[in-house]
């Protein structure tokens, strides 16, 4: 070895970043909302908001899937016969 230290670069996933953000927000709530009951109610409401947003996204996704499935199930239109002019 030449004396150089190899640095391990840790790439955080999106999930880890979201969890870290949640921890920091809840830490902020603990400092700003000292009464335990108030803090618990706010945290409960935050989870309710998150659940509502996920349900909205699920409903929109389900609608899009259903719409695409209907388009795929439609019977192809029959092509009408075309007249061919014959010189004669």
């Amino acid at each position: 070895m030449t004396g150089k230290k190899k640095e391990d670069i840790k790439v955080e996933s999106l999930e880890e970043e979201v969890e870290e953000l949640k921890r920091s927000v809840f830490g902020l709530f603990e400092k700003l909302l000292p009464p335990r009951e108030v803090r618990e109610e706010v945290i409960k409401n935050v989870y309710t908001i998150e659940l509502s947003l996920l349900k909205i996204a699920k409903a929109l996704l389900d609608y899009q899937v259903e719409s695409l499935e209907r388009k795929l199930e439609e019977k192809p239109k029959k092509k009408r016969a075309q007249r061919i002019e014959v010189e004669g």
Side-chain angles (χ1 to χ4, degrees):
M1 298 204 154
T2 61
K4 293 182 181 179
K5 294 182 180 180
K6 292 184 180 180
E7 293 184 24
D8 292 331
I9 299 175
K10 182 181 178 186
V11 179
E12 291 187 21
S13 68
L14 181 60
E15 184 177 343
E16 291 172 349
E17 290 180 21
V18 169
E19 288 300 319
E20 180 63 32
L21 182 62
K22 281 183 182 179
R23 281 193 292 275
S24 64
V25 168
F26 290 139
L28 183 63
F29 283 153
E30 287 180 12
K31 293 176 183 173
L32 293 177
L33 306 169
R36 182 177 168 189
E37 297 81 21
V38 174
R39 186 173 56 236
E40 288 174 352
E41 187 66 27
V42 169
I43 290 172
K44 177 183 170 188
N45 289 336
V46 168
Y47 283 130
T48 303
I49 291 169
E50 183 179 4
L51 179 62
S52 297
L53 290 174
L54 290 173
K55 284 183 178 181
I56 290 169
K58 181 183 180 295
L60 291 172
L61 184 63
D62 288 344
Y63 173 77
Q64 284 296 104
V65 167
E66 184 180 321
S67 175
L68 289 173
E69 286 175 343
R70 272 189 270 128
K71 285 181 181 179
L72 288 173
E73 289 175 357
E74 288 180 2
K75 294 181 181 178
K77 295 179 182 178
K78 293 183 180 179
K79 292 184 180 179
R80 299 185 82 187
Q82 295 180 351
R83 291 185 182 217
I84 300 174
E85 292 184 27
V86 179
E87 294 181 20

